[in-house]
Amino acid sequence: MKPFKVILYYFYAPIEDTETYRDEHHLFCVQHNLLGRIIIAPEGLNGTVSGTPEDCEAYMNYVRSDSRFKDVQFKVEEHDRVAFQKLHVRVKDEIVNSDLGVDPLVRTGKHLEPSEFKEILNDPNVVLVDMRSDYEHELGKFKGAITFDMHNLRELPDHIHEIEHLKDKKIVTYCTGGIKCEKASAYLLEQGFQDVYQLHGGIIRYGLEEGGENFDGKCYVFDNRIAVEVNKVNPTVISRCYICDEPCDRMINCANAECNTHVPVCHKCGEEMEGACSPECKAHPDKRTYDGTGYYVSNSNHYHPLQGLKSQKKNIKKMKLAHRTEPAQ
């Protein structure tokens, strides 16, 4: 067992006072030493947090103790260190940017549990559709899945014509954790697709519960792991090093801060190029120091997890005071 955990989750439920809940949520994470990214919106929650097993368990209990989120499903993975370096709890208009104008609480695709998804993978009448960004499915995807050359979900309407001829098929959408498919499948229904499904819990849950069979490559994740293994049954590598074109499933962000492109780069090329994706980026004055991981965190002087809170100033002051008066370890 590894010493830390990473929790991925989302849940659609109305939140009226998002600012107050954000402050309360942020404070709980600080008190339990949790780092990560959490989005709070009028339509619900979306987050990935990391910490010790005890702190992660406390967090899951905290979220589920709210009657609005009692049925939330957490995808829990082990990790050898905390998967984030900062804590961000933000209020946004949507928990996943889409601009699709759909409400998953009103209508969405039928949920397929991982075991059900596994059973239909070889059905000739089933069409798998990947709802992730191009750099994600280039690293890994399900065998035979249709992918779109899009950078985010807002571009989905520009690609619907690519699957218009499949309206009589059973369409099964999938993404990393399931959240994008809630809106993507709802949008497909709105566009006239009749038989629409989604992998409940996404690629990550399928890997955890069913071994990830027939998922080729690795799954891109939005923390300092960058990419994780999914398939424990018949794994294969489908991506190639951006620089030397050798098979490679190791993902990095370009060291040039102005570029920051997400590409597979092997260890050898990573070292030779100092984490850059091209000679131009290697010579760029804004190139960051490459530490072998290809994951970078924006600079923040004297960062403390309490940053970002706009209210509950008394609680913050008390916590800071208590921190100052704690005996040295």
Side-chain angles (χ1 to χ4, degrees), residues 154-171:
R154 291 189 295 271
E155 298 173 16
L156 179 59
D158 298 331
H159 296 274
I160 289 298
H161 69 277
E162 298 173 29
I163 56 173
E164 283 280 355
H165 62 292
L166 300 171
K167 284 189 173 180
D168 62 334
K169 298 284 188 178
K170 178 183 288 187
I171 303 295

Side-chain angles (χ1 to χ4, degrees), residues 108-110 171-173 184-186 188-189 193-198:
T108 190
K110 302 165 192 170
I171 303 295
V172 179
T173 65
S185 63
L188 291 182
L189 289 167
F193 291 82
Q194 300 297 316
D195 205 11
V196 182
Y197 298 77
Q198 59 181 285

